[in-house]
Amino acid sequence: MILLSESRTRHRRLGVAAAAAGLLAALLTAGPAVATPDPGDGPAAGKGVSKSTEAEVKAAIADGEIPGQDEIVHSDNIEHLVNIPKDALPGTNSDLAFQGRYAFSGNYDGFRIFDISNPKAPKTVAQVLCPGSQNDISVSGNLLFLSTDSSRSDSSCSSTTQPATEKSSWEGMKVFDISDKRNPKYVAAVETACGSHTHTLVPERRNVYIYVSSYSPNATYPDCQPPHDGISVIKVPRSAPEKAAVVGFPVLFPGEGPDGGGNPGSPTNPGVAKTTGCHDITVLPDKDLAAGACMGDGILFSIKDPENPKVIDRVQDNVNFAFWHSATFNQKANKVVFTDELGGGGAATCNAEIGPNRGADGIYDIVGKGDKRKLVFRSYFKIPRHQADVEVCVAHNGSLIPVKGRDIMVQAWYQGGVSVWDFTDSSRPKEIGYFERGPVTTERLTTAGSWSAYYYNGYIYSNDIAKGFDVLKIADKRTDAARKVRLGELNVQTQPDYFD
């Protein structure tokens, strides 16, 4: 480990150029790969587009129908307070976690800790160099957890990339002691099958359980063998985190044969990801409930016994969903929002050609009681602003904005920006605010924009893949009540009871 010290409404029909369409088709039909669908270890270089696409984007900017290059636009109820650019860690910015007056920012090169006591002027407390995508991040008490989902030479923070075909390669979870925020200490590493793309904490008084989501096994990978149809469960004793260890691998998609029992994907279901594990899991510890976004499947499961989760219901959408990416419950736990990462975080999917139902959020009601609960589809939500064909846009990570009696969410959409939307009526969701930047470039299809956008203690924090750390403030009568809700800690995938 190395410690390093005005809005515009757009109605233009932005089409999908041949280059972008070809990329999307390839992403939807290609076989699984390690550490997909999110970006790789290094910053995205971008894909060239045709001259006609470049001309169309420039014309749209000139006409005022999309923002100019790097221009910031937002709805009247959103204020952009500050942007903190990347510093010592130049890699892809990823997820966020919060504790007290601190924000923890994941980055493919490590993580950064901010003091956000003054949200208008966050201060860097520490930057830790510890490469290994994705560096999905969470905190609990004095412990910080970091996911590694790229094959490394070893578990150290000075490791280098190494082929997954080599038995000595390492992927998994890293654990840090953050009692001193200015000097985090690396205390444990736990290798997990197929690495750790994301992880979810199930915290208890004495132990922290970690649900590790990973996928894309391959018979040539010694530590990532098919069928990979479950999740790794790690137990971390708070008093002795160095004893952290895998305590189980519950199978969520039982089935015979080498492929397990999840969604078979193409060619049975063209354009749909084959289920070989989960991408992300969100838990409601106070209700012993969890929702899993698992590539080709969405699941609801009980975590009464955290070491042995039990699937209650499972759904698929083989018409409009390509890759089940993440999940968010509403406060009453009678709805769940699943996101679809169409194009794998590498394509321009927020345009008229793709339409409003693909690459969208799927809103499901939870009906029934106990182990008889079912997920019932109600509607889709997608940002209503078309993006340019040089802008990678995808439904990504978000959180609730805690308002009693309403279901309101803030969500990242890569270069689609940050959207605040209301799904109180699960059949008629609507956007109520937004923030975004114009294209990073007009010459290439580039991965950039907001990876995660979360509401924490009165403010919205966004981790921009390319531009750094943004702080936003929303002033709206529909969300103002949320300012009264104060949390001591927030890992969005460990959803709190905001009103307890």
Side-chain angles (χ1 to χ4, degrees):
M1 180 188 77
I2 301 174
L3 184 66
L4 304 168
S5 265
E6 304 338 80
S7 68
R8 290 174 175 171
T9 302
R10 287 166 287 165
H11 302 289
R12 182 185 179 96
R13 181 182 173 88
L14 292 170
V16 181
L23 172 64
L24 179 59
L27 285 164
L28 293 181
T29 59
V34 174
T36 56
D38 295 308
D41 285 319
K47 302 279 187 181
V49 296
S50 67
K51 291 296 182 182
S52 61
T53 295
E54 185 179 344
E56 183 184 63
V57 172
K58 289 180 177 178
I61 291 173
D63 291 345
E65 295 176 356
I66 64 171
Q69 187 169 333
D70 286 334
E71 180 186 1
I72 289 175
V73 297
H74 53 81
S75 55
D76 291 339
N77 57 357
I78 300 283
E79 180 183 1
H80 184 218
L81 298 182
V82 69
N83 169 261
I84 308 296
K86 293 181 188 179
D87 187 23
L89 305 174
T92 296
N93 271 345
S94 57
D95 212 0
L96 294 168
F98 305 88
Q99 186 182 85
R101 60 189 176 99
Y102 298 101
F104 302 82
S105 167
N107 178 286
Y108 277 41
D109 287 328
F111 64 93
R112 187 174 182 179
I113 303 177
F114 291 99
D115 182 335
I116 54 171
S117 348
N118 178 1
K120 294 182 180 180
K123 297 178 180 178
T124 298
V125 174
Q127 298 186 72
V128 175
L129 177 63
C130 196
S133 67
Q134 302 217 128
N135 280 342
D136 188 48
I137 193 167
S138 59
V139 294
S140 183
N142 289 330
L143 300 177
L144 179 147
F145 305 92
L146 209 61
S147 285
T148 298
D149 193 34
S150 59
S151 186
R152 313 296 299 180
S153 55
D154 55 53
S155 63
S156 75
C157 285
S158 57
S159 68
T160 57
T161 58
Q162 182 169 290
T165 51
E166 294 189 23
K167 176 62 180 172
S168 63
S169 294
W170 184 92
E171 299 180 60
M173 289 298 308
K174 295 169 181 168
V175 184
F176 292 78
D177 184 320
I178 53 168
S179 334
D180 180 357
K181 301 295 189 293
R182 296 185 178 278
N183 187 30
K185 296 179 180 178
Y186 187 9
V187 296
V190 181
E191 187 171 15
T192 54
C194 300
S196 175
H197 196 73
T198 66
H199 68 270
T200 304
L201 303 187
V202 184
E204 296 184 341
R205 188 170 63 88
R206 293 184 178 180
N207 304 298
V208 179
Y209 286 97
I210 306 174
Y211 289 165
V212 177
S213 295
S214 57
Y215 52 93
S216 295
N218 190 302
T220 66
Y221 302 159
D223 299 315
C224 184
Q225 292 285 299
H228 184 74
D229 47 13
I231 57 174
S232 296
V233 179
I234 296 174
K235 183 179 181 180
V236 185
R238 291 188 186 274
S239 60
E242 69 278 3
K243 295 181 179 179
V246 174
V247 293
F249 187 85
V251 174
L252 303 178
F253 302 95
E256 297 180 0
D259 296 326
N263 195 319
S266 299
T268 303
N269 297 316
V272 177
K274 175 183 176 181
T275 299
T276 58
C278 291
H279 180 279
D280 213 334
I281 292 169
T282 294
V283 299
L284 281 174
D286 64 305
K287 293 183 170 59
D288 293 326
L289 195 64
C294 303
M295 305 182 72
D297 296 87
I299 59 173
L300 188 69
F301 55 103
S302 166
I303 57 170
K304 287 180 182 178
D305 178 354
E307 292 189 24
N308 298 285
K310 176 184 176 183
V311 175
I312 296 172
D313 194 27
R314 169 183 164 197
V315 290
Q316 296 179 356
D317 179 347
N318 295 318
V319 175
N320 288 314
F321 259 47
F323 189 100
W324 296 67
H325 176 275
S326 52
T328 302
F329 289 100
N330 69 336
Q331 178 61 30
K332 291 183 178 180
N334 59 9
K335 299 175 190 173
V336 61
V337 174
F338 289 103
T339 69
D340 175 23
E341 196 179 42
L342 176 68
T349 67
C350 298
N351 50 45
E353 296 296 329
I354 297 297
N357 295 339
R358 299 178 64 215
D361 296 322
I363 305 165
Y364 287 74
D365 284 352
I366 302 173
V367 300
K369 295 181 179 180
D371 290 352
K372 294 184 178 179
R373 283 172 285 190
K374 297 290 183 184
L375 292 164
V376 179
F377 174 77
R378 294 303 185 201
S379 66
Y380 298 106
F381 170 79
K382 192 172 183 180
I383 56 173
R385 296 169 310 286
H386 292 154
Q387 305 297 305
D389 288 338
V390 292
E391 294 180 284
V392 169
C393 178
V394 67
H396 224 242
N397 298 344
S399 77
L400 292 184
I401 297 181
V403 179
K404 276 190 176 181
R406 300 201 71 83
D407 298 324
I408 299 176
M409 183 173 174
V410 58
Q411 185 179 0
W413 287 79
Y414 275 27
Q415 288 193 77
V418 175
S419 175
V420 178
W421 58 287
D422 188 318
F423 62 104
T424 306
D425 181 344
S426 52
S427 296
R428 294 179 178 81
K430 59 182 179 181
E431 186 177 74
I432 62 175
Y434 71 91
F435 164 89
E436 69 165 295
R437 290 180 170 89
V440 172
T441 173
T442 60
E443 300 173 353
R444 297 183 304 280
L445 175 66
T446 306
T447 298
S450 181
W451 177 291
S452 297
Y454 299 146
Y455 185 92
Y456 177 69
N457 292 352
Y459 296 87
I460 294 169
Y461 297 90
S462 167
N463 219 18
D464 189 290
I465 292 168
K467 299 296 182 181
F469 184 70
D470 288 302
V471 185
L472 312 175
K473 186 175 182 179
I474 182 168
D476 190 293
K477 63 182 181 180
R478 293 164 289 191
T479 62
D480 287 346
R483 296 177 191 171
K484 298 176 183 178
V485 177
R486 312 297 291 183
L487 300 177
E489 191 171 272
L490 178 64
N491 301 295
V492 168
Q493 286 73 35
T494 306
Q495 228 173 284
D497 183 342
Y498 287 95
F499 304 111
D500 183 3

